[in-house]
Amino acid sequence: MNTKDNILLGRLNVIDFPEDFPAVHYTCEKKYKTVEDMQFHNHFEFGLCLEGQGIFFMGNKMIPFAQGNVSIIPPGTPHFAQSLDTHPSLWLFLAFDPKITTFPTEDIVPNIVYDKAMEQLLHLVADELSSRTDGYSFATSALLDVLLIRARRLNADAPTFFTYSDGLSSVYPAIEYITQHYPENIEVETLASLCSMSLTHFRRRFVTVTGMTPLRYLLVMRLRMASVLLRRTDRKISDIAFDVGYNTLSSFNRHFKENYKMSPKDYRTAEEIKF
């Protein structure tokens, strides 16, 4: 992506670490955000989604997340998490200076994973940093090494929504709108208007940037969000279908099977699929 067109460079976010030990943890809600909220930092960060679901923007990629997912954010990675205003997500974040660990971090890539061991380790680190009892710094460093090792082992590509080509800025208003309104009925004319383009030019430009038509993009987003909810929650399939924008369960089942080559019920229990 050309620098002049890269609207996802982000702004530097610097954490004021305690002088005695450069590691902190905190919880925060994620609601609606825009590309102007994109940030990067010079520390390493792990995140754990405690509640809710949404989209994680990492550079020019969009990755789905839900409760139990872990974010892996190395230094210098532009990113932000976004959830619907009506359904905010809750996150536990752990930020630290890589100098307090012994395992190398250079080859660890940004990712969104589901790993039960990492989830438990993040809670343990948060407990150590909260209690600050005797030996907490040694315990935290050791736990962080284990987290980094597991992150390195999970170096496979995340279940990405989309990877964008050059020209993202020209259609980003439409992409942002879809991200916040995908459960609703969206007209292509509305998206074109948001980008200040004619309908014909918008459709052509959108395909160039995303590799698919606006309606196909919307369909893929709905199904991907449904796939995450199927794997990461025990909610009824009919409720999931409604929440991602389908009016009937039959149309959801048909579209899902066309795209994933199995029914939503089979997808939920398929052992080889790992989110």
Side-chain angles (χ1 to χ4, degrees), residues 139-154:
T140 298
S141 295
L143 290 168
L144 289 174
D145 275 330
V146 179
L147 276 165
L148 291 170
I149 290 170
R150 294 196 71 86
R152 176 75 175 273
R153 291 174 179 173
L154 293 168

Side-chain angles (χ1 to χ4, degrees), residues 116-222:
K116 194 66 178 178
M118 291 184 73
E119 181 179 355
Q120 295 169 342
L121 286 165
L122 284 167
H123 282 298
L124 288 173
V125 173
D127 289 343
E128 290 291 339
L129 292 174
S130 294
S131 65
R132 299 176 71 88
T133 55
D134 184 41
Y136 84 94
S137 60
F138 296 101
T140 298
S141 295
L143 290 168
L144 289 174
D145 275 330
V146 179
L147 276 165
L148 291 170
I149 290 170
R150 294 196 71 86
R152 176 75 175 273
R153 291 174 179 173
L154 293 168
N155 228 12
D157 289 339
T160 304
F161 268 1
F162 312 105
T163 300
Y164 304 104
S165 66
D166 288 352
L168 176 59
S169 60
S170 62
V171 297
Y172 188 80
I175 290 172
E176 184 178 61
Y177 186 86
I178 293 172
T179 302
Q180 277 295 305
H181 298 274
Y182 66 86
E184 305 168 16
N185 182 36
I186 297 177
E187 300 292 339
V188 179
E189 290 81 0
T190 301
L191 302 177
S193 176
L194 289 169
C195 298
S196 301
M197 296 182 190
S198 68
L199 190 57
T200 301
H201 180 56
F202 170 73
R203 283 176 169 151
R204 185 184 306 117
R205 189 62 175 160
F206 198 92
V207 171
T208 299
V209 174
T210 68
M212 61 189 80
T213 66
L215 291 180
R216 175 64 185 172
Y217 184 99
L218 175 60
L219 173 67
V220 171
M221 172 165 283
R222 287 173 171 171

Side-chain angles (χ1 to χ4, degrees), residues 182-184 218-223 226 237-256 258-259:
Y182 66 86
E184 305 168 16
L218 175 60
L219 173 67
V220 171
M221 172 165 283
R222 287 173 171 171
L223 293 177
I237 294 176
S238 57
D239 290 342
I240 291 174
F242 177 78
D243 285 349
V244 300
Y246 279 87
N247 294 322
T248 66
L249 181 59
S250 60
S251 59
F252 171 69
N253 286 337
R254 184 178 69 257
H255 285 162
F256 195 94
E258 288 174 354
N259 285 268

